[in-house]
Amino acid sequence: QFLCLSLSTVDLSEVGLVDGTILTDMSGVSISCEDLILSLQNSLKTLMKWNDEIIQLSAVRVFCRGMCLYCRSPAEKIDLVLDILGTQNSYCINLKSTHLLLDLILKRFCNLNEVMLLLAMCSTPSDHQSKFNLFVDKIVEIYVNITLLDFKVTDVNTHQEFTNSSEVQKTICSFLSIFIQNAVLDVTSESTNNDNIALQSNPLTLTLLELGKSVLCHASKLVISITSKVSSGDVAWLEFEEIIRNSIIGSVVQPFIISLCLQGHSLAFLQEILPSLSVFIEQLSKICHLSSYCHLAQKSINSTIERYSPQASRATIVGGWVPVKAVFEEPDSSYSLTDNGLTYTSLHSTNTCALLNIKFGKKQKAAWEFLLENDSVGDECSLFGAARMPLTSRCYSSSPDLWMRRSYNGYMYQQGQSTGTAMEKIHPSDTVRVEFDGNAGTLSYSVNGGNLEVGFTDITEDVYPACGSYRNGV
């Protein structure tokens, strides 16, 4: 303990040893500089595994102070980190010491001079690039694992093990942020604006690309894991929001995404990064609708659209709706389908209808829109609404399985019976929107982006979007 604490007060970088120097002690025993440094390194590695926490942590600090002796280039420091992560037990015996060791080593990478050396290293084709990519992938993985492990820890005493963990997370974010910022500046300033030049011809651009992919990949895993915690109630939304903003997502991913808007990036670079970015945004979008900021943005967008374009179809409003693919069911002899199953045309003047191949249940909200392309003006013979399965009859005025609004007079027919109420008439070229609220058990209607009106209530079954007719050619 005394040896470690004493050595920690010595600046080993000022010892002035150079390769080839032969040292002789008072008894005449000689040792080369290289052997002395190796001996010192091995001794400190032994002390880092000593069965005493004070000695362990002191040895870690001294080991990092002497890095300038046995790690004289960025590439050697990267090799050291990979060695520590690959053979952890050869350096430290617990997480606390390991994370302190990584934190102190990575802090040296945060120095701007070190960053410049790394950029120079990554700008020249060599094996160092693949090692740097592996290095980034490993430290980001450590960041994510610490966060996930921290979620599982509830014991206060165990939380003491994470004293150095939070510090190493901050250092990882700091290093990545500084490196990405400077790499982006170099890449965009050197851009030739010629996308015909192969991406492979710029080593630094390739390094930035792989770094971005790695960070986005691990950030996606982090969002997935935390989202499951929010869904299960283990983590409150406000806590999740704070975690996201203060994590690698807020400090590294967000600035990186913003940097993609700079003009200097080649199209090839953006095309390569897009799939990873798309996966990340998809995972984040599954939970962001719970955010208070998202709700405020939704209200702002809706009010803006309604204020400047009151007749706009409500299908264009970004109110949290997620588009789903659907087509009409296979036709019978009463109607035909065209436009890949999206257009219905009646072939007879008998009562009939067609259902879409998707259903919605009690706890769902859904909306569908029909465009009435062809019908007799003033004598319309079309209907719009929903159906349940199995369908026993396709006649709007007698089927117990249909909820239909008649275009001719706006009358509402619920399971074969008129409700005695009427809405506005529907004419050719009108767009009819139907919204289903499974929790409330209602079907509501709007025409050409107008206000929604409840047409049917007390719906307890799963429903399928449907439309119908009782004249040929509708």
Side-chain angles (χ1 to χ4, degrees), residues 59 94 146 150 165 173 245 326 349 407 410 413 416 444 465:
N94 57 45
I146 289 174
D150 199 20
S165 302
C173 288
R245 291 182 183 278
S349 295
S407 297
Y413 290 83
S444 301

Side-chain angles (χ1 to χ4, degrees), residues 11 16 76 78 80 152 269 284 289 336 369 399 419 427:
D11 190 345
E76 290 177 341
I78 289 173
L80 175 61
K152 299 178 181 179
F269 175 87
L284 196 62
H289 67 278
S336 64
E369 289 188 349
S399 174
T419 63
H427 306 291

Side-chain angles (χ1 to χ4, degrees), residues 329-348:
E329 62 178 349
E330 291 295 321
D332 61 13
S333 60
S334 63
Y335 65 91
S336 64
L337 298 181
T338 54
D339 193 24
N340 295 320
L342 296 177
T343 300
Y344 156 108
T345 303
S346 59
L347 300 177
H348 301 290

Side-chain angles (χ1 to χ4, degrees), residues 296-329:
L296 290 174
Q298 177 183 327
K299 289 180 180 179
S300 176
I301 291 171
N302 289 352
S303 63
T304 301
I305 291 177
E306 291 173 356
R307 183 165 64 250
Y308 290 102
S309 182
Q311 297 303 317
S313 168
R314 288 179 178 267
T316 64
I317 298 176
V318 189
W321 296 101
V322 178
V324 293
K325 293 182 179 180
V327 295
F328 284 108
E329 62 178 349

Side-chain angles (χ1 to χ4, degrees), residues 224-274:
I224 292 172
S225 299
I226 303 178
T227 298
S228 66
K229 296 289 183 180
V230 176
S231 302
S232 63
D234 294 337
V235 176
W237 165 255
L238 291 178
E239 185 181 351
F240 168 82
E241 202 160 20
E242 183 180 357
I243 292 170
I244 291 295
R245 291 182 183 278
N246 296 330
S247 71
I248 197 171
I249 296 173
S251 60
V252 178
V253 175
Q254 183 182 6
F256 175 69
I257 293 175
I258 293 173
S259 75
L260 297 178
C261 301
L262 296 175
Q263 287 185 331
H265 288 299
S266 68
L267 180 60
F269 175 87
L270 297 174
Q271 287 174 327
E272 286 291 327
I273 200 68
L274 185 59

